[in-house]
Amino acid sequence: MLVGLLYLLFVALIALAFPEFSPIWPSAAVAMFAALMGGWRWLPGIAIASWVGNDLVMAWSTMWSLWITLGNILGPLMSTLVLRRFIPEVSFALETGRGVALFGLLAVLSSAISAGFGALATTLDIRPDTSFNDAFFSWIISDLTAVLMLTPAFVLWWKDSREPCQLLRGDPEMWLAASTLIFMTSILFFIPSTDATSLLRTGTFLILLPLVWVALRFPQRSTFTLMSVVFVLSMLGTWMGKGVLTELAHPYTRLQIILISMSLITLLVSAMSLERRRVLNVLSLSYATLEEHVKERTQQLSDNLNYLEMLLDNVPVPMVITRPDQSVVIYANLAAADYGGYPLDRMIGSSSMTYFHRLEDFQALEQKLQTEGSLNSHEVALRHRDGHTLWARLSAVPSRYNDIPIMMFAFQDISQAKQRELDLEQLVNTDTLTQVATRRHFMQRGNEVLLTAQRSEHKLALLILDLDHFKAINDTYGHPAGDLVLRSVAEAFRASLRPGDLCGRLGGEEFGVILINTDSEAAQSSAERLRQLVNDLCIELDGGECIQPSVSIGGVLLLPSRMALLANPSLDEAIAIADQALYRAKNTGRNRVVFAPPLAFHSNSTPSKQD
């Protein structure tokens, strides 16, 4: 009920100040506050206050007053329901950048719903001479300005009502910032309208400086309270015909746009500042705790070096100490020896690179240590004594021992998780039936190969291979036999292709092959060899029958001199031309190879197709 009275009070004040047209509507901020904090419980009071205000105070007809009341309730209610889906405790919506962005979008939604109802009432009853678009724009911008400038202060004062206000604590910096903000606002919006005001118009957004100052340094409630003060002062000065905007056309609209922009910026800065302070507090507490533990442990270890060795020897985490200047291991604990399968005495004095699966990994790790000084969860492949790969996350910190620089490593075994990741990647990239690349992987790798060939000016050939009369095989012998044919053909392709060539199943009985570093003659020869391989297959079934498949092949040669004209060549374009050649092979008798003319890339990224 008190919220409803506050809503009605604002209606009465606005009616007195603007008897004909209201450029602001603070009651919209009260309605949004009621929906956010009270939900269904508070909205009946808002509904009654809205109807009474529109019908009795604003002297609108009863029917249209009820209509506008419906819009004033539906807007905040629907916005709050959406907000609660993402942030169940809506009072915390203003404490994160994500929450502020969502609050801003929903403020627009609430204002738009209310404006839609209000604009319809205005054009049909209150001011028939007003266009719907003009009424809608005036309504939404007045509601949005009030919601963004006032609702945050209402919410924070209600939420933290028992907390003392920072503005009343006598903090000198707070008082300085507040005084600066109020002084600047008063100068800009209460200065007499003269030619000198034109010099100040460009400085309107300077009000943001003290607002951002407060947002970065002080609690949100103080920030949003001062933001509300700016709203009241700027509106009051403009209403009195003073300030830097009064001589301009549409001063209230300009002011509303300025206030909306400032409120959004201030809300975001305040939320990000609060998030930053939280992170810093957590880090500070963690650092203080860690520092205390480090001091205690350092004191203990300095008392007895043997205790350090005993501690490291019995830590279940694999740990190694190296001399980075010589790349040798000077200490390893039992967990590290067990992890790598090496005798402990053999590890001491051995080269660090011995334990890496690839020399490049060791060199990359050394480079990163030289650049960053330490490591945190660096993923690397290590070598077990029996030769299999161990995947680990390495963390390393530099230190000194007997005035010698050392590097302390700790390992976390992630071999099982990495193997699952590799298996999943293999599953995604490999066709389960034929064990060649899936269409998605073929297209991805093919575009990479195409781009590499463009840069290195290597010739490529693309082949599209389609089994002849495959449907008849399925219909005659059944789908298991068809699957066997596909596996056999794919196995023949894999055995025939060179390392580096790419083979994939594009769908059904269609395969794609990319031959790298291949000229026209070699491409023709390779395609014919693949065709003959399939033609020579005799795939025996369980019943003793033999299936002899055949394949039609369409190909296209990709010339590096042409590819150099294309900034980003696409495999799709090459496939389209190879498909045309495949169709000609099918239409001229099947079981044959047909090549299209070399693919010519133009600067507009469109290939020419020559038949």
Side-chain angles (χ1 to χ4, degrees):
M1 185 59 68
L2 292 177
V3 177
L5 292 176
L6 180 62
Y7 184 101
L8 193 58
L9 173 63
F10 279 128
V11 173
L13 291 176
I14 294 303
L16 290 175
F18 303 98
E20 295 185 2
F21 169 73
S22 171
I24 57 172
W25 196 252
S27 298
V30 178
M32 178 63 83
F33 161 69
L36 289 173
M37 305 310 298
W40 289 98
R41 296 179 293 110
W42 289 8
L43 287 179
I46 296 296
I48 295 173
S50 176
W51 175 73
V52 171
N54 292 326
D55 194 350
L56 301 182
V57 179
M58 304 299 294
W60 295 342
S61 66
T62 300
M63 182 186 73
W64 288 112
S65 294
L66 291 173
W67 174 256
I68 293 174
T69 296
L70 180 60
N72 291 340
I73 295 300
L74 283 179
L77 179 60
M78 292 181 64
S79 301
T80 302
L81 289 176
V82 174
L83 184 61
R84 289 184 187 276
R85 293 292 300 271
F86 296 93
I87 306 176
E89 183 57 52
V90 295
S91 61
F92 295 107
L94 302 174
E95 297 184 5
T96 65
R98 173 176 172 269
V100 166
L102 186 59
F103 172 75
L105 290 175
L106 295 179
V108 174
L109 173 64
S110 174
S111 301
I113 294 174
S114 178
F117 280 78
L120 188 62
T122 300
T123 54
L124 295 181
D125 179 67
I126 303 168
R127 289 187 178 180
D129 58 333
T130 303
S131 71
F132 180 86
N133 289 341
D134 291 342
F136 180 82
F137 177 77
S138 300
W139 201 295
I140 189 175
I141 199 171
S142 62
D143 278 13
L144 184 59
T145 305
V147 168
L148 291 178
M149 294 296 291
L150 298 179
T151 299
F154 292 159
V155 169
L156 266 296
W157 274 99
W158 178 266
K159 176 187 171 186
D160 302 331
S161 57
R162 297 183 179 180
E163 295 292 330
C165 180
Q166 185 79 14
L167 288 168
L168 304 178
R169 291 183 176 179
D171 188 324
E173 184 180 358
M174 183 74 233
W175 277 105
L176 178 60
S179 301
T180 303
L181 178 63
I182 294 174
F183 175 75
M184 292 178 64
T185 306
S186 301
I187 288 293
L188 289 169
F189 291 100
F190 286 90
I191 186 174
S193 180
T194 64
D195 292 339
T197 59
S198 62
L199 299 175
L200 299 175
R201 286 178 190 138
T202 56
T204 307
F205 277 97
L206 289 178
I207 300 174
L208 267 176
L209 295 177
L211 265 178
V212 170
W213 180 7
V214 175
L216 290 173
R217 295 283 295 154
F218 299 101
Q220 285 189 312
R221 187 172 64 174
S222 300
T223 302
F224 301 152
T225 301
L226 289 174
M227 192 166 68
S228 301
V229 171
V230 170
F231 172 78
V232 173
L233 291 176
S234 59
M235 280 293 180
L236 182 60
T238 305
W239 176 72
M240 294 172 62
K242 300 180 181 299
V244 296
L245 301 178
T246 53
E247 291 184 351
L248 301 176
H250 308 294
Y252 284 111
T253 301
R254 293 173 183 268
L255 177 60
Q256 288 164 335
I257 293 174
I258 291 172
L259 293 178
I260 289 173
S261 303
M262 288 197 303
S263 64
L264 289 174
I265 293 172
T266 305
L267 287 170
L268 284 172
V269 170
S270 177
M272 290 187 291
S273 176
L274 182 60
E275 288 184 298
R276 175 179 172 272
R277 287 198 294 268
R278 285 175 175 168
V279 171
L280 290 178
N281 288 339
V282 171
L283 290 177
S284 178
L285 180 60
S286 300
Y287 178 78
T289 304
L290 180 62
E291 187 178 43
E292 184 63 28
H293 286 311
V294 169
K295 287 181 179 178
E296 293 176 0
R297 184 57 55 86
T298 301
Q299 182 61 41
Q300 293 172 0
L301 296 180
S302 63
D303 293 340
N304 192 341
L305 183 58
N306 292 329
Y307 177 76
L308 171 61
E309 293 181 354
M310 182 190 68
L311 179 66
L312 295 179
D313 283 341
N314 291 279
V315 167
V317 177
M319 298 190 68
V320 170
I321 299 177
T322 69
R323 282 193 61 172
D325 56 336
Q326 298 180 357
S327 296
V328 296
V329 177
I330 61 174
Y331 170 82
N333 64 359
L334 293 174
D338 292 340
Y339 177 64
Y342 296 93
L344 187 60
D345 56 353
R346 176 181 167 183
M347 293 186 67
I348 308 302
S350 63
S351 172
S352 304
M353 70 179 67
T354 305
Y355 307 100
F356 285 80
H357 189 71
R358 298 186 308 170
L359 178 61
E360 305 90 89
D361 292 343
F362 174 74
Q363 293 171 341
L365 182 137
E366 280 199 322
Q367 181 64 36
K368 189 169 185 179
L369 282 174
Q370 291 176 3
T371 304
E372 301 179 10
S374 62
L375 292 177
N376 184 22
S377 298
H378 178 76
E379 190 173 296
V380 68
L382 301 177
R383 184 196 306 250
H384 193 273
R385 186 185 182 188
D386 63 13
H388 77 266
T389 301
L390 296 170
W391 286 95
R393 285 198 183 100
L394 270 63
S395 296
V397 293
S399 184
R400 299 187 72 84
Y401 173 70
N402 286 342
D403 206 30
I404 298 173
I406 61 172
M407 190 67 66
M408 302 181 66
F409 289 88
F411 302 79
Q412 179 187 0
D413 185 18
I414 59 169
S415 298
Q416 293 184 356
K418 189 65 177 180
Q419 188 59 49
R420 287 194 297 269
E421 178 185 332
L422 295 174
D423 291 343
L424 180 60
E425 183 178 349
Q426 177 73 9
L427 182 64
V428 171
N429 294 336
T430 304
D431 181 66
T432 54
L433 177 63
T434 61
Q435 298 303 305
V436 297
T438 60
R439 180 184 182 90
R440 174 182 172 275
H441 187 55
F442 180 83
M443 297 299 291
Q444 177 184 343
R445 286 284 298 118
N447 279 310
E448 293 172 359
V449 169
L450 196 61
L451 187 59
T452 301
Q454 178 194 28
R455 293 170 177 169
S456 59
E457 298 188 356
H458 287 166
K459 299 176 183 178
L460 296 176
L462 171 67
L463 307 178
I464 303 297
L465 309 94
D466 191 86
L467 290 175
D468 297 327
H469 305 298
F470 184 73
K471 184 176 183 302
I473 295 176
N474 279 332
D475 293 343
T476 304
Y477 301 103
H479 287 279
D483 291 345
L484 178 60
V485 170
L486 290 174
R487 286 196 297 269
S488 301
V489 169
E491 184 177 353
F493 290 162
R494 293 199 312 271
S496 171
L497 295 175
R498 301 166 299 172
D501 291 340
L502 180 62
C503 179
R505 184 183 179 192
L506 303 185
E509 66 273 19
E510 186 176 77
F511 294 84
V513 170
I514 295 179
L515 304 173
I516 64 171
N517 199 16
T518 301
D519 58 18
S520 177
E521 182 179 349
Q524 291 274 0
S525 175
S526 297
E528 185 61 36
R529 185 179 71 255
L530 292 174
R531 185 200 65 79
Q532 190 63 46
L533 278 174
V534 175
N535 198 56
D536 293 342
L537 287 176
C538 181
I539 303 170
E540 293 187 6
L541 303 181
D542 292 338
E545 296 179 272
C546 179
I547 299 176
Q548 292 182 299
S550 66
V551 65
S552 297
I553 302 176
V556 61
L557 187 67
L558 309 179
L559 300 179
S561 59
R562 301 291 186 183
M563 287 190 292
L565 298 175
L566 187 63
N568 188 17
S570 170
L571 189 61
D572 290 325
E573 300 163 349
I575 288 177
I577 294 181
D579 272 335
Q580 292 183 0
L582 173 64
Y583 296 149
R584 291 199 293 275
K586 291 282 190 181
N587 294 334
T588 55
R590 304 178 188 270
N591 192 20
R592 63 188 61 221
V593 176
V594 174
F595 263 79
L599 177 58
F601 286 106
H602 298 292
S603 58
N604 61 0
S605 301
T606 303
S608 65
K609 299 180 181 180
Q610 307 171 18
D611 291 329

